[in-house]
Amino acid sequence: MKYVSTRGGLSPTEFSDILLEGLAPDGGLCVPSILPRIDTATLEVWRRLNYAELATEILSLFITDIPKSVIRELCAKSYHSGNFNNKDIVPLKKIDDKITLVGLSEGPTLAFKDMAMQFLGNIFEYVLTERDATLNILGATSGDTGSAAEYALRGKKGVQVFMLSPHGRMSEFQRAQMFSLSDENIYNITVKGVFDDCQDIVKALSNDLEFKEKYHLGAVNSINFGRIAAQVVYYFWAWLRATEDGAQRISITVPSGNFGNILAGHIARQMGLPIKRLVLATNENNVLEEFFRTGIYRPRGSEQTYKTSSPSMDISKASNFERFVYDLMHQDGTKVKALWDQLADQGYFDLSDEKHRFEAEFGFLSGASSHQDRLDTIKSVYEESGLIIDPHTADGVKVARENLHDGVPMLVLETALPLKFADTIQEAIGVKMELPEHLAGLMDLPQYVEVMDNDVEQVRAYLQKNIQR
């Protein structure tokens, strides 16, 4: 398995190299040169596997420059009951007769980002040890990526983590979870702006190839294909547990801001997993919903990016969207580059002529949700099932209910545990969320964070001062 760039400027490259590089040198994103295909017989064999075993089978298809025996060890180290609060790792829970919740928030930071990040932390350490190398992770988070990355990489050999987050835009719990870490290899920077500003700084420094090489910069955001590959696993896992017939199709609704989570579903579907519809759910920051409804992709500026009660999706520039457009453009990197050049020049591009293919060829539908929708959905789910869901998952359930098809089970991917957004839960149903015993003192811990202006050069100077080369 080799990897190329969505913009056509990368010769076929091994997984371990793209794992450490993040963005491709031409500014594009790394993608497999050809996807593996999975047949029905293989799916039936996989029904017997536990989560770590299934992850081994799927990830070894994407990672062919590392022995499968090593992948097996890394998966066993990543996916076990000591790391996750459920023996199944990803439990499925019925919301009602039509919708089932895929429980992705049993990991150490109580959010779906742990599913990929636990593996990523272990494979980073393995590759760096093998190469006797170091890596400085530069990332941006809207809420959950940062803590998942930091918990997965804290104390890892050869890795420093510099994580940017939007100042005042995360929940109190998310801030406490990230900023309370005191490990010597973890650095938190909060930027006076929105997530997209943080992401732009990361991309600007990563696209400075001389700086990137000199300071060994890598990525842990979903621009790193290692994250996406690990997320593909739980789509297969969920299908295997929601079906009995190898040909049965399901639909899956995914709350999505940066397009990474639903991209993994798109890849699983392209590999042959029987998914009828991939339903994208957004909050008020509905740039992606607008694209799938109109064919026009028009990212918004910081001042037009709303602060909402599902803050991890307060994103108006979806990094992973380029990988889908690459497939939409028949994997023609020249066309993708031209579109992103057009985006830089005029602020949007128009693919409305391709709109008929979104659902017919790729299975995509979309919908948006508001604050009141979230409150109403949290309340109705609680009253009907006793389950409490977080605001992002509520966005997903609301949109899922609008896109049900007779005879097709609907799954909704959980974003996080509701206690991470206690204020919204209390507003919706009047229930005060209590922290579990092992997190009881989290909110009282000292926090370690640098506040900075939305300024690439200020962040650059901070990295130069703190990176240990």
Side-chain angles (χ1 to χ4, degrees), residues 83-110:
N83 261 359
F84 290 82
N85 295 320
N86 190 290
K87 62 181 177 56
D88 290 333
I89 309 301
V90 177
L92 269 60
K93 314 168 207 176
K94 280 239 177 234
I95 288 179
D96 55 37
D97 290 340
K98 296 179 179 179
I99 298 177
T100 299
L101 188 67
V102 181
L104 298 175
S105 304
E106 303 293 331
T109 71
L110 317 181

Side-chain angles (χ1 to χ4, degrees), residues 322-341:
E322 183 171 334
R323 286 183 167 121
F324 172 70
V325 174
Y326 178 70
D327 284 346
L328 192 62
M329 296 291 99
H330 306 285
Q331 302 185 342
D332 186 330
T334 302
K335 289 183 178 178
V336 174
K337 183 180 184 303
L339 286 171
W340 257 258
D341 287 344

Side-chain angles (χ1 to χ4, degrees), residues 3 23 39 84 106 132 174 197 202 210 215 249 253 291 345 368-369 377 388 390 399 446:
Y3 291 82
L23 274 178
D39 58 26
F84 290 82
E106 303 293 331
D132 191 23
Q174 288 173 315
D197 298 320
V202 170
E210 182 179 349
Y215 289 97
R249 294 205 289 175
T253 298
F291 171 80
D345 289 340
S369 181
T377 303
I388 302 177
D390 81 280
V399 174

Side-chain angles (χ1 to χ4, degrees), residues 208-224:
D208 183 339
L209 299 184
E210 182 179 349
F211 183 81
K212 179 181 178 182
E213 183 176 353
K214 180 177 181 180
Y215 289 97
H216 306 294
L217 296 188
V220 76
N221 290 56
S222 50
I223 60 174
N224 190 316

Side-chain angles (χ1 to χ4, degrees), residues 21 84 122 142 189 193 278-279 296 312 350 397 400 412 439 452:
E21 288 295 322
F84 290 82
N122 287 321
S142 57
I189 302 166
L278 283 165
V279 186
I296 297 171
S312 298
D350 185 345
V397 172
V412 174
L439 294 174
M452 294 190 188

Side-chain angles (χ1 to χ4, degrees), residues 164-428:
L164 279 60
S165 59
H167 187 55
R169 290 258 179 168
M170 298 191 298
S171 74
E172 187 180 359
F173 183 97
Q174 288 173 315
R175 290 194 297 270
Q177 200 171 42
M178 281 179 59
F179 300 160
S180 64
L181 291 180
S182 58
D183 302 74
E184 290 185 357
N185 69 327
I186 302 297
Y187 298 81
N188 280 301
I189 302 166
T190 181
V191 174
K192 295 176 183 176
V194 300
F195 168 77
D196 296 318
D197 298 320
C198 300
Q199 189 165 251
D200 286 345
I201 291 172
V202 170
K203 286 187 174 181
L205 293 172
S206 297
N207 280 323
D208 183 339
L209 299 184
E210 182 179 349
F211 183 81
K212 179 181 178 182
E213 183 176 353
K214 180 177 181 180
Y215 289 97
H216 306 294
L217 296 188
V220 76
N221 290 56
S222 50
I223 60 174
N224 190 316
F225 192 82
R227 268 259 313 263
I228 302 299
Q231 289 176 277
V232 169
V233 177
Y234 52 71
Y235 281 87
F236 280 86
W237 175 267
W239 182 89
L240 289 166
R241 267 134 199 87
T243 64
E244 296 179 0
D245 178 354
Q248 183 179 1
R249 294 205 289 175
I250 61 173
S251 291
I252 305 180
T253 298
V254 188
S256 188
N258 213 20
F259 206 76
N261 200 6
I262 200 165
L263 176 78
H266 165 68
I267 290 171
R269 188 176 187 271
Q270 297 293 95
M271 290 170 68
L273 191 65
I275 297 174
K276 182 176 178 62
R277 296 286 182 266
L278 283 165
V279 186
L280 180 142
T282 72
N283 60 18
E284 293 89 334
N285 297 296
N286 64 326
V287 170
L288 291 171
E289 182 271 335
E290 182 179 69
F291 171 80
F292 283 101
R293 177 167 40 85
T294 68
I296 297 171
Y297 181 58
R298 193 190 305 270
R300 298 168 191 162
S302 303
E303 67 286 349
Q304 296 172 302
T305 301
Y306 305 111
K307 183 178 181 179
T308 78
S309 53
S310 49
S312 298
M313 288 160 37
D314 291 350
I315 298 170
S316 291
K317 298 176 185 175
S319 283
N320 274 284
F321 182 60
E322 183 171 334
R323 286 183 167 121
F324 172 70
V325 174
Y326 178 70
D327 284 346
L328 192 62
M329 296 291 99
H330 306 285
Q331 302 185 342
D332 186 330
T334 302
K335 289 183 178 178
V336 174
K337 183 180 184 303
L339 286 171
W340 257 258
D341 287 344
Q342 184 179 340
L343 186 64
D345 289 340
Q346 65 184 34
Y348 74 96
F349 57 71
D350 185 345
L351 294 178
S352 55
D353 287 347
E354 305 291 337
K355 187 172 173 289
H356 63 284
R357 298 173 57 210
F358 299 168
E359 181 180 0
E361 186 174 338
F362 298 106
F364 273 97
L365 296 172
S366 65
S369 181
S370 68
H371 176 66
Q372 190 59 52
D373 290 330
R374 286 187 279 284
L375 297 181
D376 293 344
T377 303
I378 292 168
K379 187 171 188 282
S380 68
V381 169
Y382 181 60
E383 290 175 347
E384 292 167 16
S385 70
L387 292 175
I388 302 177
I389 57 175
D390 81 280
H392 310 76
T393 306
D395 289 332
V397 172
K398 183 264 185 183
V399 174
R401 285 171 169 170
E402 298 169 345
N403 289 281
L404 297 172
H405 294 85
D406 288 342
V408 182
M410 174 66 80
L411 307 186
V412 174
L413 298 194
E414 180 182 63
T415 297
L417 291 192
L419 64 85
K420 298 188 79 166
F421 309 94
D423 290 346
T424 303
I425 301 304
Q426 188 153 16
E427 183 182 356

